[in-house]
Amino acid sequence: MIKVQIKDAERFLDQKVSTLQGRVEDVHDMIRNKSGLGNDFLGWLDLPVSINQEELARIKKLKEQYKDLDCLVVIGIGGSYLGAKAGLEFLKTPFKKSKPEIIFAGHHLSANYLKHLLKYLNKKNYAINVISKSGTTTEPAVAFRLLKQHIEEKYGIDEARRRIFATTDKARGSLYQLAKNEGYERFVIEDTVGGRFSVLTSVGLLPFVFAGIDVDGLLNGAKDAYMDAQTPDLKKNQAYLYAATRYLLSQSGKDVEYLVNYEPRLTFFAEWWKQLFGESEGKNHLGLLVASASFTTDLHSLGQQIQDGKRIIFETVLNVKKTDKLTIPWDQNNLDQLNYIADKEISYVNEQAMLGTKEAHVDGLVPNIVITIGKLDSYHFGYLVYFFEIACAMSAYLLGVNPFDQPGVEAYKKNMFRLLGKK
Amino acid sequence: MIKVQIKDAERFLDQKVSTLQGRVEDVHDMIRNKSGLGNDFLGWLDLPVSINQEELARIKKLKEQYKDLDCLVVIGIGGSYLGAKAGLEFLKTPFKKSKPEIIFAGHHLSANYLKHLLKYLNKKNYAINVISKSGTTTEPAVAFRLLKQHIEEKYGIDEARRRIFATTDKARGSLYQLAKNEGYERFVIEDTVGGRFSVLTSVGLLPFVFAGIDVDGLLNGAKDAYMDAQTPDLKKNQAYLYAATRYLLSQSGKDVEYLVNYEPRLTFFAEWWKQLFGESEGKNHLGLLVASASFTTDLHSLGQQIQDGKRIIFETVLNVKKTDKLTIPWDQNNLDQLNYIADKEISYVNEQAMLGTKEAHVDGLVPNIVITIGKLDSYHFGYLVYFFEIACAMSAYLLGVNPFDQPGVEAYKKNMFRLLGKK
């Protein structure tokens, strides 16, 4: 499924990662016993084996019912946006739109974006999936006001009601109330599942089903990751091995972790990963700063700095074993001097770039973890999601912070509300 | 044109930024006299007033000649990719493709991407702009081999030759040689202009002209930035003010600079900025680590960490004054509790989010610089490009490094060539 190599990280550490085995077992028990900080938010832990089958069946039926849609507009921010978008990019065929096209809104306050979105939707057959636990978060609420008005004007109130799907709290909040009043199709965000851990609920599954993604394969991947995470043994549990290694690196003076990839479809996955780890650990003036890069693209921009800049970073490489077959053609003139790799597969060259880069960065004193997955399919997306979620819980508890709250996110909102004159 | 506010950064410093005036003047003279490190690469300095008009006219003529193209494939990596892409995103109308669509290739080694690109191009009327000083950089050379073969098979050798435009060295290198042999239309990368400083040459201008961007407006912006940078006076030269402030922050224990925006069209601009500063300063184990975030989107992912994580960061906000008009509708039911901002413009709410966030982050001990531009148009793109280029030269010289080399980029290549068995 997944293989974590820590050799090129461990050599920079004063202690073996295996010396953490005892602490890892304690945290493992704490997670399982729900005795740690933030234990009200462990609903994600068993999700792979407790998927809401009724909801999933309803989503699939809805997709059948609306199979001629041009667009599905997904309104959400943070965890109600990043996981779905990450999955869509991960599983995307380049140069091809899904049918329906999945469009995101409510994830910022750009009038320019919203104005052109409304214009674009004038000529499209579309539906809306609005995702918000409360229904009062400013960004999605603003977008939903505009889009609700637009879809009601376009299709009439009754048809619009059928075309709005609400993913929200099961019994409370303004979106729940509205959805109930209007009779929108409803899907539930459980109290015990925080936003950044919600991609395996209807929050992610609805957009995935509409985009034609093999959701059953995805859930199988998550389930296997779940099974593989049952043991606290660092020799077997690769997620904990990753967590323990990054924890020790953070304790040895490293401040920044780069998640890097060699396939552009993984670029947005890093955004999901950054929320997961950044929001879970970035508190009490602690936590590794999370950054990302896409190679080899960024070897020609960030490469210099990674090789030779401040030595406060390490890299975690997300490596994909199997990709498409495409060989480099032979050229008789060979002006570009590439004939030495003619008839070689491009994926082979990419792999040597990865190995050569790892060696160069390690020589440059950048510790390196490699996480290898088989290929870019729905199974591996599902696997990686759960893998990083359980790794994140372990890592944050090792650090000593509550992995499941985000008190700092309120600070800007408070000021904004005051400036806007909210009572 | 542009306004730099340093108040919320200066309060974290032990000395006033104005105390650097003398050193700034020395560096200013060093740049003008071309007496500093890397002075062979100052060709970008006068570019705004020495644009190659003959080439620009030829580009415009070429665009006229190929006005029915579906796609222009731009092959390049690093500075031959990021600047053009940043400009296209900066100036893009959301939900609308340019005609021709500009597609990038040769900026990584993804077989998946290239395979589907070739398939996509089967049904498209397209041309190629291959950008490389040497013609032997692996990524663009591999892509060009494949695309050259594809375009020759599609149109025949003669027509293919007319549809390939080469931007390369004026007299040397394998792409120069090939272009000359085949009779490709040629554009010049001057010896004195490094990749990350090349966006105002044909490297950027050709894709811009083909995408229908107002290149004359863009160059006017760059020219005004050039004029505004003639004085070393920190009270007047906003680029130097930015450079001096970030330099002092780096000396006061800050390790990471986040470039943040509140308009999604600026997201990729940060990638260009990261190459510019990261590659210029990230050497000798020095230089601020460059990172980026798009708000308010990332306030719901990175926000927690910025507010409350490790205190080694500061923010530079790229603020856009004027955007589209779009007001929040009134809703009688007001379940979402947004009526307190009904009839307000979304851009106004976005601005309060920016101000509220700045206040929150400053309270959280994150110094803050604000760079305000008028709007997202070609003039301001051109202005910002030169603004950051001259700021970067100043900043790197203050730090004491050569702003114009990138020795660390070779390290991974050397290893990769060895692994690939290159002689």
Side-chain angles (χ1 to χ4, degrees), chain A residues 92-357:
Chain A
K92 186 187 178 197
T93 305
F95 302 100
K96 209 176 157 182
K97 275 185 188 171
S98 66
K99 171 86 168 100
E101 181 187 2
I102 311 294
I103 296 174
F104 292 93
H107 55 316
H108 48 54
L109 289 164
S110 169
N112 178 254
Y113 181 92
L114 282 168
K115 191 175 163 178
H116 288 280
L117 170 58
L118 293 175
K119 201 170 153 189
Y120 183 73
L121 291 173
N122 283 336
K123 290 176 198 159
K124 301 290 180 184
N125 175 12
Y126 79 99
I128 295 172
N129 177 209
V130 53
I131 310 173
S132 176
K133 194 154 176 61
S134 66
T136 55
T137 303
T138 308
E139 293 88 340
V142 164
F144 185 50
R145 269 206 183 189
L146 283 161
L147 280 153
K148 181 169 176 284
Q149 192 181 54
H150 188 274
I151 201 168
E152 286 176 354
E153 277 167 17
K154 185 169 169 131
Y155 296 103
I157 299 262
D158 287 345
E159 176 62 14
R161 281 173 176 152
R162 285 189 286 272
R163 283 170 182 259
I164 298 175
F165 322 136
T167 308
T168 187
D169 192 86
K170 66 170 171 293
R172 278 172 311 185
S174 71
L175 181 58
Y176 165 78
Q177 200 53 56
L178 179 73
K180 211 181 144 195
N181 295 352
E182 305 266 331
Y184 299 156
E185 188 84 31
R186 270 183 288 139
F187 302 95
V188 171
I189 305 175
E190 295 289 349
D191 288 336
T192 56
V193 181
R196 58 187 176 274
F197 289 87
S198 71
V199 61
L200 298 175
T201 72
S202 296
V203 169
L205 298 182
L206 195 151
F208 291 154
V209 167
F210 272 75
I213 286 171
D214 170 20
V215 165
D216 298 308
L218 190 154
L219 293 172
N220 277 337
K223 199 171 164 186
D224 281 357
Y226 170 86
M227 299 305 292
D228 292 346
Q230 295 301 309
T231 170
D233 186 347
L234 282 168
K235 287 195 206 70
K236 293 177 188 157
N237 188 322
Q238 301 284 293
Y240 288 175
L241 185 63
Y242 165 63
T245 307
R246 73 191 291 284
Y247 166 71
L248 285 180
L249 287 167
S250 79
Q251 299 306 298
S252 78
K254 296 303 173 191
D255 292 322
V256 183
E257 177 178 11
Y258 274 92
L259 188 71
V260 310
N261 69 71
Y262 288 77
E263 281 295 338
R265 278 164 51 179
L266 284 166
T267 300
F268 205 89
F269 187 79
E271 299 301 313
W272 173 81
W273 172 90
K274 283 193 266 189
Q275 182 192 14
L276 184 66
F277 282 89
E279 201 162 271
S280 297
E281 296 194 327
K283 44 198 73 158
N284 310 342
H285 297 186
L286 293 170
L288 285 162
L289 277 177
V290 285
S292 59
S294 292
F295 292 163
T296 60
T297 304
D298 291 339
L299 289 173
H300 295 250
S301 63
L302 301 171
Q304 169 66 37
Q305 177 166 87
I306 293 172
Q307 187 67 52
D308 233 6
K310 281 188 194 271
R311 300 299 76 187
I312 58 172
I313 64 178
F314 72 92
E315 275 180 333
T316 296
V317 178
L318 211 45
N319 180 39
V320 183
K321 211 161 180 177
K322 200 173 159 188
T323 69
D324 297 71
K325 287 190 182 301
L326 185 65
T327 54
I328 297 164
W330 174 265
D331 177 348
Q332 211 175 328
N333 296 316
N334 197 31
L335 277 170
D336 58 11
Q337 300 163 31
L338 282 189
N339 275 355
Y340 79 105
I341 46 172
D343 303 322
K344 291 267 197 290
E345 283 191 26
I346 290 174
S347 58
Y348 169 77
V349 180
N350 202 19
E351 198 189 344
Q352 305 320 304
M354 189 273 284
L355 294 169
T357 303

Side-chain angles (χ1 to χ4, degrees), chain A residues 357-376:
Chain A
T357 303
K358 188 174 78 163
E359 194 187 319
H361 290 179
V362 169
D363 285 348
L365 307 178
V366 178
N368 193 297
I369 300 170
V370 183
I371 299 176
T372 301
I373 62 168
K375 54 180 180 169
L376 291 176

Side-chain angles (χ1 to χ4, degrees), chain B residues 104-246:
Chain B
F104 292 92
H107 54 316
H108 48 55
L109 289 164
S110 169
N112 179 254
Y113 181 92
L114 282 167
K115 191 176 164 177
H116 288 280
L117 170 59
L118 293 175
K119 202 170 153 188
Y120 183 73
L121 292 173
N122 283 337
K123 289 175 198 159
K124 301 290 181 184
N125 174 12
Y126 79 100
I128 294 172
N129 177 209
V130 54
I131 310 174
S132 176
K133 195 154 175 62
S134 66
T136 56
T137 303
T138 307
E139 294 88 341
V142 164
F144 186 51
R145 268 207 184 191
L146 283 161
L147 280 152
K148 181 168 175 283
Q149 192 180 53
H150 188 273
I151 202 168
E152 285 175 355
E153 277 168 17
K154 185 169 170 133
Y155 297 102
I157 299 263
D158 287 345
E159 176 61 13
R161 281 173 176 151
R162 284 188 288 271
R163 282 171 182 260
I164 297 174
F165 324 135
T167 308
T168 188
D169 192 86
K170 65 170 172 293
R172 278 173 309 185
S174 70
L175 180 57
Y176 165 78
Q177 200 54 55
L178 179 73
K180 211 180 144 197
N181 295 352
E182 305 266 331
Y184 300 155
E185 188 84 33
R186 269 183 288 138
F187 302 95
V188 171
I189 305 174
E190 296 288 349
D191 288 336
T192 56
V193 180
R196 58 187 176 275
F197 290 86
S198 70
V199 61
L200 298 174
T201 71
S202 295
V203 169
L205 298 182
L206 195 151
F208 291 154
V209 167
F210 271 75
I213 286 170
D214 169 20
V215 165
D216 298 308
L218 191 155
L219 294 172
N220 277 338
K223 199 171 163 184
D224 280 357
Y226 170 87
M227 298 305 291
D228 292 346
Q230 295 301 308
T231 170
D233 185 347
L234 282 168
K235 287 195 205 72
K236 293 177 188 156
N237 188 322
Q238 301 283 294
Y240 287 174
L241 185 65
Y242 165 63
T245 307
R246 75 190 290 283

